[in-house]
Amino acid sequence: MTDDEELSVADLVGKRLLRVTTAWHHHAEDEPSLLHLWLHLEGLGPVLFHTPGTGLSLRTDQPHEPYSMEQDGHVTVTNDSPNVPVARFVGQTIRSVREIRYRGVGIDFAAGLTLQFPGASIRLLALDDDLLLACDQHLGPVEASLHEDVTLARVVQTCHGFPSQWDAWTTGGQYLYLRYRRGEGSVEQHPSEDTDAWDGAGSRLWTTWDDGTGGGIIDLADFLAMAGLRLAPEAEISGTSG
């Protein structure tokens, strides 16, 4: 990777977090606000998460030096930042990256990402030009407008073991291919179940993990728990022998 190279969310899946760097904006008497976040990822280097406007931008970029912002305060840069929520995941591998959308009256935009690690997940949000990190906390009224397409309306098991695999559709209509083989689970997004359409821009890796068992059989409930997915209350579940 070269500096200033734009990244897709799929580039982050399966990468190990090595360290965290943050840049904080100090202005007058206000509490410092998070301006930039760099996640140093194995195989990618430092990845900058920032808010150039609406939504969240990702690119490879070296952390900046501290600098002044003329009449608008100054910026400090902290390497190996221990006090930000994402620092708790240093040494862990990103299992899944999912888009978070903000939906309101006449408004619909990509507001951030959920990064799922083996033990828990964290949301990186770009709201009102601010960068917010949230592990477990509820963000108040804004929560009603934040949506992840992780609820499955229909699941069809196409193979029961070696591998265990399913075709699945979210409540938002997105097709997902679920697969578990040799202890490795994966979730792929594709335009449809038609494999001839799997090479285009509508395809990407959502989730990957290796549980170390080498197994080829897993039940749906355990797979969904590992993948960060869930069933809708009225989900249609069916299957055929494979």
Side-chain angles (χ1 to χ4, degrees):
M1 290 288 178
T2 59
D3 286 351
D4 210 32
E5 181 175 345
E6 292 290 335
L7 298 175
S8 70
V9 295
D11 292 325
L12 309 182
V13 178
K15 300 298 190 296
R16 188 162 64 97
L17 178 60
L18 303 178
R19 52 193 284 247
V20 179
T21 299
T22 52
W24 297 88
H25 181 200
H26 303 261
H27 178 64
E29 301 300 322
D30 296 336
E31 288 290 324
S33 60
L34 183 59
L35 182 64
H36 292 145
L37 170 73
W38 289 266
L39 300 185
H40 299 254
L41 300 175
E42 192 171 47
L44 287 181
V47 177
L48 171 63
F49 294 75
H50 70 121
T51 60
T54 299
L56 192 66
S57 173
L58 287 71
R59 72 172 190 263
T60 54
D61 183 63
Q62 293 295 325
H64 308 311
E65 296 296 324
Y67 57 92
S68 298
M69 299 183 71
E70 298 180 350
Q71 303 300 317
D72 199 25
H74 66 283
V75 173
T76 60
V77 177
T78 304
N79 292 307
D80 299 312
S81 303
N83 297 320
V84 292
V86 71
R88 64 188 276 195
F89 301 113
V90 168
Q92 297 186 32
T93 298
I94 298 173
R95 175 180 290 169
S96 179
V97 183
R98 303 187 298 270
E99 182 181 72
I100 304 170
R101 299 200 68 82
Y102 183 97
R103 292 174 180 155
V105 179
I107 301 174
D108 186 348
F109 66 92
L113 300 171
T114 292
L115 305 185
Q116 182 184 350
F117 292 87
S121 60
I122 184 169
R123 293 180 294 172
L124 280 58
L125 295 163
L127 300 171
D128 295 329
D129 208 27
D130 288 330
L131 184 58
L132 303 177
L133 307 180
C135 273
D136 304 313
Q137 66 268 42
H138 191 279
L139 297 178
V142 73
E143 287 285 358
S145 299
L146 299 178
H147 301 273
E148 286 187 58
D149 196 15
V150 295
T151 304
L152 303 182
R154 182 184 173 212
V155 182
V156 179
Q157 186 157 17
T158 56
C159 187
H160 288 268
F162 302 100
S164 296
Q165 64 185 35
W166 298 262
D167 290 332
W169 291 262
T170 70
T171 53
Q174 176 62 58
Y175 168 75
L176 300 175
Y177 173 58
L178 318 181
R179 179 181 173 92
Y180 177 81
R181 184 184 185 191
R182 297 176 181 171
E184 298 180 3
S186 63
V187 179
E188 298 175 11
Q189 166 191 309
H190 297 290
S192 74
E193 67 273 31
D194 180 3
T195 57
D196 290 338
W198 285 17
D199 294 329
S203 296
R204 75 169 180 89
L205 179 66
W206 268 31
T207 308
T208 185
W209 77 87
D210 186 341
D211 61 21
T213 66
I217 299 175
I218 189 172
D219 64 32
L220 180 61
D222 288 341
F223 186 98
L224 298 183
M226 293 289 284
L229 300 170
R230 58 178 176 264
L231 293 173
E234 303 297 326
E236 176 187 343
I237 304 174
S238 60
T240 59
S241 296

